[in-house]
Amino acid sequence: MMFLKAFLIGGIICVIGQLLIDLTKLTPARILVLFVCIGVLLGGLGVYQPLVDFAGAGATVPLTGFGNALAKGVKEAIQKDGFLGVITGGFTACAAGVTVAMLSGLIVSMICKPKDKG
């Protein structure tokens, strides 16, 4: 049942992104930033965590989940370090995920041969 919940919630988030691409003049990059910002906002307000509890990876894998992780990291760092946590919390919470993404991109770029568009 957990797989179904994750699939449905993750799918709904992706459908929203696809609708924004198809029905607006927003660029994909702006939509990605919008999703992260929405995740930060909902995470900061405490609204996103029940969705994570319900859908698991269906809510944490999309970019809104990244925004939620940033907000959660900032909240925890503020409680621990005070105002300095505003700056350090997001970096600390998401460092592992960003590192894996960068290393994966580096490895794929070394294996694959790019082709020119045209």
Side-chain angles (χ1 to χ4, degrees), residues 20-82:
L20 289 172
I21 290 171
D22 292 344
L23 301 176
T24 69
K25 293 188 184 251
L26 291 172
T27 63
R30 288 184 175 164
I31 293 170
L32 296 176
V33 170
L34 177 68
F35 272 32
V36 172
C37 291
I38 288 171
V40 169
L41 180 66
L42 294 177
L45 295 173
V47 177
Y48 203 79
Q49 191 58 44
L51 188 61
V52 170
D53 295 339
F54 175 77
T60 58
V61 171
L63 283 171
T64 50
F66 178 70
N68 179 53
L70 287 171
K72 189 176 180 182
V74 169
K75 278 183 177 180
E76 291 172 2
I78 287 173
Q79 291 173 352
K80 181 182 173 194
D81 301 327

